[in-house]
Every structure is written in C-alpha cells, then in structure tokens.
C-alpha cells in the first residue's frame, strides 16, 4: 500500500530543515507557512478532527525532569477517575459529535490491565468512537490486551531523539530500560495507529538534535505527530537546574511560539498525511490565536478537553494550561466556532490517517 500521497512541496532535506529552524525573516517564514498549509490541504483536506481528551488519572510512577505529574511532586493531589466517570465523558463526546476519545494518564500502575480492557470494551460496544490511549510506557501484555479490547490508537511521545538528553530528563524505572522507539515498533506490530512527538526548546536541546527529531518523524512513518513547546514547571528539577547539559547558547533551541510553528510546519512537510494536532501547549503560549495559527501552519486536529472540572486543574504537566477553567461544552463551542471562522470544516467520524491505494 502506498501511504505517501503527493505532497504540495518536496520533502525538505536535512540542510533545508536546519536552515528553516534557524530562519527568522518573516517574509521567508511566510513561504514556509504557505507550503505547510498547502501540503496539509492537499493531503488531509480542510476537515479539522476533534478528539475529546479525558485525563483519566494524574498518578505517575516516573520522574521526568520537566513534568508536574512526576512522582516526587508531593504537593499535587492525585486522582484516578472511575469507569462510570469515564463513561459519562464518552457520552458527552458522542453528544458533541466527536469521533474519538483520548484516554490519557501518567504512567499509573493503578490502571490495571483488566479494568481498562473492560472500560475500552464498554466504550466500543456502546458508541462508535475511536479510542486512543496515551498512558506512558506499559508492558507489552497490557498493550496487547487493550488492543484486543478494541483500542485503535496509542500515543507515546519520544520527546527527543537525542539519547543523551533523553536519558537526562527521563530517568528509567529501576531495573527497566526506557526505549520508546522499541515500544513504538511494538505498537505498530500490535495493529495500533501510532502517534509520537517531541518537545521543543528543552534546555540542552540543539538545532542538530531537533533536525534529527524531524528525520525520525520521516523514518518512523507515524500516523499522528504532536509537537509542543517545553514549558517550565516550578516543581521540577529542569526548572531549578536548567543546565542539565550545558551547550553553547547559539546551539540552544528556544522554547518559543515561533519555533513551535516552524517545527509544526516542517512536520507537515516531512509527513504530509499524518494527523497533527494544534496543541494545548501552543494555545497556552498564545491564548488568543495559538490554536488557529497552528491550524493554518500544518495542523488538522484539535483536542477539546472532556475532563471533569474538579480534575482538570490537577492534571498539571506544566502550569497555566489553556482552557483550564472551561467546561466541556464551553470547549466544544469555542473550538468549533474558531474552526468554522477559519473557513475549515469539522471532521466527521473517527478521522483515521488517510490511506491511499
Ligand atoms: S511526562 Fe508522563 S511519564 Fe513523565 S512524569 Fe509526566 S506524566 Fe509521568
């Protein structure tokens, strides 16, 4: 099966990726936005797919150096949603016309294999929603059981393809290896649609390593790719010791809104038919227009939040997240109006990655 439809622009070489990442001239960047938008339009069309996000647990056993949910953060009140609470959110997804729910959590061993398999089966038998999981590095048996229960997609960001930087910010669990590329392969073999992504502007991240990330997107043939800026959380080691890996200042990638748009646009050029969200992190950096600018520079997905308000503020990977105090209905109408005002349409159905014969 040929999975690469004709792109609007030739896929950039590594030298071009590096040149665009360092480009600051507004008129030249305008060409990049136009190429990304045209490539998006020709490959995945004008529909914007809405994936209802349900943050089912903020428990986490890991100690990622940048994340507010990390286990050592004792100031955070922890929650885990019940099956009934999750089903109430999926009912809202159906009512709002979403095609997918995304069940997201920290790496939470309290989410048992059988319990979640039962929840997935219930969602699949009572609705026509696609189910995406984003639950961290789970054993292969769990991933297989959830796929068998009907889960369609799995998101696992590799965050950076630089092995030294990865290791510095993702201490592995005692006695286990943390190899996200191997897990992405397992997911593909299990029949999931596979999503991954990176953080932009991690302290110690160089332009070369970010170009490597984009080359990894190209190589991995990902179905979904999420890119978002590094946003510092005060209760994390990375916020306190930003020099985990000192590099010359001119090599440090900035964690800015502009850099995020560049990476998003280049992601569209290297993987023309992937589903790419305009992320909440982008909307956090620019609450007025971040989401729309993401959608006009390569993205075709948004993820309205369905998490009940009493839990939403507790899912704090980084602070001051956009839409923290809106309810699910507010999120839906705000996003829908913004999409229609751009002349785009609302995607119908599950919105899987388009496959061409
Ligand atoms: S990034 Fe994910 S795995 Fe790491 S601490 Fe945060 S929630 Fe846990």
């Amino acid at each position: 099966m040929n999975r690469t439809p004709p792109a609007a622009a030739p896929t950039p070489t590594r030298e071009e990726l590096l040149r665009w990442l360092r480009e600051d001239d507004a008129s030249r960047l305008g060409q990049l936005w136009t190429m990304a938008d045209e490539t998006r339009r020709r490959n995945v069309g004008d529909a914007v797919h809405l994936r209802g996000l349900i943050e089912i647990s903020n428990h986490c056993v890991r100690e990622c150096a940048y994340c507010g949910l990390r286990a050592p953060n004792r100031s955070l009140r922890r929650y885990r949603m019940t099956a009934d609470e999750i089903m109430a959110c999926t009912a809202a997804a159906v009512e709002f016309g979403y095609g997918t729910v995304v069940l997201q959590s920290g790496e939470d061993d309290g989410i048992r294999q059988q319990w979640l398999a039962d929840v997935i089966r219930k969602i699949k038998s009572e609705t026509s929603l696609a189910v995406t999981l984003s639950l961290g590095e789970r054993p292969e048996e769990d991933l297989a059981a959830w796929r068998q229960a009907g889960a369609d997609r799995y998101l696992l960001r590799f965050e950076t393809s630089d092995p030294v930087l990865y290791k510095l910010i993702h201490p592995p669990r005692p006695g286990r290896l943390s190899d996200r590329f191997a897990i992405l392969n397992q997911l593909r073999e299990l029949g999931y649609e596979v999503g991954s992504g990176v953080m932009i502007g991690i302290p110690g991240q160089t332009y070369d390593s970010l170009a490597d990330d984009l080359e990894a997107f190209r190589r991995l043939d990902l179905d979904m790719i999420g890119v978002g800026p590094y946003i510092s959380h005060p209760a994390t080691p990375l916020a306190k010791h930003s020099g985990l890996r000192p590099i010359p200042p001119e090599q440090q990638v900035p964690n800015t809104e502009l850099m995020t748009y560049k990476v998003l646009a280049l992601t569209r050029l290297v993987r023309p038919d992937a589903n790419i969200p305009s992320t909440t992190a982008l909307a956090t950096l620019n609450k007025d227009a971040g989401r729309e600018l993401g959608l006009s520079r390569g993205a075709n997905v948004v993820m309205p939040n369905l998490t009940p308000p009493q839990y939403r503020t507790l899912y704090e990977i980084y602070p001051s997240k956009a839409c923290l105090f809106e309810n699910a209905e507010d999120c839906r109408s705000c996003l829908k109006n913004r999409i229609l005002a751009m002349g785009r349409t609302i995607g119908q159905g599950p919105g899987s990655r388009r496959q061409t014969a």
Side-chain angles (χ1 to χ4, degrees), residues 60 62-64 66-67 69-71 105-107 180 315 317:
C60 188
R62 298 296 291 272
E63 301 184 17
C64 303
Y66 50 87
C67 175
L69 302 194
R70 63 199 307 273
S105 75
E107 212 166 292
R180 295 197 173 182
Y315 203 87
I317 292 176

Side-chain angles (χ1 to χ4, degrees), residues 138-154:
R138 300 287 304 218
E140 190 169 7
E141 311 82 77
D142 292 356
L143 303 174
W146 297 333
R147 173 75 188 132
Q148 199 159 24
D152 302 276
R153 310 181 185 130
Y154 203 100

